Amino acid sequence: MGNTVAREDFEWVYTDQPHADRRKEILAKHPEIKALMKPDYNLIWVVVLMVLAQLTAFYLVKDLDWKWVVFWAYVFGSCISHSMTLAIHEISHNSAFGNSKAMWNRWFGIFANLPLGLPYSISFKRYHMDHHRYLGGDGIDVDIPTNFEGWFFCTRFRKFIWIVLQPFFYAIRPLCINPKPITRLEIINLLAQLAFDVAIHYLWGVKSIFYMLAGSVLGLGLHPISGHFIAEHYMFLKGHETYSYYGPLNLLTFNVGYHNEHHDFPNIPGKSLPLVKKIAAEYYDNLPQYNSWIKVLYDFVMDDTISPYSRMKRQLKGEVKQD
């Protein structure tokens, strides 16, 4: 359990990310894919139902024993919370209302954020666009772990703890790597969230608040769905930067597992990514892929050659434009 992994630095590469070139090739060969570049209006109703489901759960747990509050926070609340973060991911790409109504998507993201308990949506959108434009960009892409994470979480036990603490690192990493000035929308996101949390506490008490916050923390930490954090870009095979997952948990995560397809076509909603794979099968079928996020988590911990350092990193050239 104390074995130290071999890697001592990131995998520095001096080529552009592969997704832009592959997108051009695929569109030249399969122009019909352009028809998939449209909003997914069903996302609106799914998000509304998820918010109502969590509001119902907040009410139902208010008088339960604490052991059952914890149980339901992990078994049910964590799944809804993590799924909602991926709905917010979809909304950040304007998938709910389309690019022509960008502000509608921002307001809807704030609404979707409410049952998570912590303000997240607006800041996520700003940093996530950088992740797509400058994948692996040093000092820009905050999906890349810090040097401290790579250096310290270098044993099996420490990697396990790193997985448990994923929500913490995703929250503080932007402040360490690429802090940005706070915007008006982020303040609105914060105030709306505080008002919602106060209302839930006033109506139903501390157990409902605990259920909400615990579900978010547990759902983004040691949880089967959290395998996507590692599966997406951690380099289990040298030279391969992005990986797709084609297992059943895509049903709960708006097809975020179709990650090569998503980076190739970030303006296509998750609902349509399986169609992208089907149409352009010759580009995707032979790429490295996963069928189990649980196995990804297990392999990450147990494989002594894999660590938070197992990421491709780029020194960006030219002008960098950020949100």
Side-chain angles (χ1 to χ4, degrees):
M1 191 164 66
N3 292 359
T4 302
V5 299
R7 188 181 298 278
E8 295 179 354
D9 197 2
F10 296 102
E11 184 79 16
W12 285 89
V13 293
Y14 302 94
T15 57
D16 292 334
Q17 57 168 299
H19 299 288
D21 288 342
R22 188 160 61 220
R23 175 166 57 249
K24 291 177 184 177
E25 283 188 36
I26 292 174
L27 286 177
K29 190 172 181 180
H30 301 287
E32 65 271 27
I33 284 178
K34 292 180 182 178
L36 303 176
M37 299 176 183
K38 58 186 179 181
D40 173 16
Y41 295 117
N42 288 332
L43 176 64
I44 299 168
W45 307 113
V46 172
V47 167
V48 169
L49 288 174
M50 290 169 69
V51 171
L52 292 176
Q54 280 294 70
L55 284 173
T56 302
F58 296 159
Y59 172 77
L60 292 175
V61 302
K62 67 184 179 68
D63 296 320
L64 293 181
D65 290 340
W66 277 105
K67 63 181 179 182
W68 290 112
V69 176
V70 174
F71 174 82
W72 288 114
Y74 187 79
V75 171
F76 182 76
S78 64
C79 296
I80 296 290
S81 291
H82 201 138
S83 184
M84 188 63 88
T85 67
L86 295 168
I88 290 171
H89 167 254
E90 287 283 290
I91 296 165
S92 76
H93 286 280
N94 295 334
S95 291
F97 296 97
N99 292 321
S100 64
K101 296 180 178 178
M103 280 305 300
W104 289 35
N105 288 281
R106 302 293 78 76
W107 294 118
F108 192 56
I110 292 172
F111 168 75
N113 195 151
L114 294 176
L116 296 177
L118 299 169
Y120 162 83
S121 177
I122 299 299
S123 296
F124 172 80
K125 193 268 181 186
R126 298 178 72 199
Y127 284 103
H128 188 64
M129 295 305 103
D130 294 341
H131 170 66
H132 276 274
R133 291 192 195 109
Y134 308 110
L135 180 62
D138 184 34
I140 302 295
D141 184 0
V142 300
D143 194 60
I144 299 286
T146 61
N147 282 309
F148 169 78
E149 291 170 73
W151 167 76
F152 184 77
F153 295 99
C154 58
T155 68
R156 294 178 184 177
F157 177 71
R158 291 181 188 179
K159 286 191 290 181
F160 174 81
I161 297 300
W162 183 77
I163 289 172
V164 173
L165 296 178
Q166 284 273 27
F168 171 76
F169 288 113
Y170 269 93
I172 68 167
R173 201 181 286 151
L175 304 177
C176 300
I177 294 177
N178 185 19
K180 297 184 179 187
I182 296 174
T183 65
R184 180 178 67 91
L185 277 178
E186 285 175 303
I187 294 173
I188 293 172
N189 194 176
L190 171 64
L191 293 177
Q193 192 63 60
L194 287 174
F196 179 82
D197 293 353
V198 168
I200 294 299
H201 184 271
Y202 175 79
L203 290 171
W204 298 321
V206 69
K207 290 180 180 178
S208 296
I209 290 289
F210 177 87
Y211 167 88
M212 174 168 56
L213 297 175
S216 296
V217 172
L218 294 171
L220 296 170
L222 188 63
H223 195 281
I225 297 177
S226 292
H228 82 86
F229 289 131
I230 294 169
E232 290 167 358
H233 297 292
Y234 284 80
M235 198 166 44
F236 282 79
L237 289 177
K238 189 174 177 63
H240 290 277
E241 184 168 16
T242 307
Y243 302 75
S244 287
Y245 157 84
Y246 300 125
L249 289 177
N250 277 310
L251 295 172
L252 298 177
T253 58
F254 302 90
N255 286 328
V256 75
Y258 287 76
H259 217 65
N260 268 301
E261 296 84 348
H262 172 60
H263 271 266
D264 289 352
F265 299 99
N267 55 344
I268 294 180
K271 179 188 73 171
S272 298
L273 292 178
L275 272 177
V276 172
K277 180 181 184 295
K278 182 178 180 180
I279 293 169
E282 69 273 24
Y283 286 91
Y284 297 113
D285 285 352
N286 294 322
L287 291 177
Q289 55 192 252
Y290 303 112
N291 291 303
S292 171
W293 278 334
I294 294 176
K295 187 174 188 302
V296 168
L297 292 171
Y298 177 84
D299 289 345
F300 179 82
V301 171
M302 300 305 294
D303 188 334
D304 295 330
T305 66
I306 303 295
S307 79
Y309 270 140
S310 300
R311 292 289 297 263
M312 286 190 180
K313 203 171 185 182
R314 292 179 171 83
Q315 189 70 52
L316 297 175
K317 302 174 184 177
E319 184 180 3
V320 175
K321 298 180 179 180
Q322 303 183 65
D323 279 6

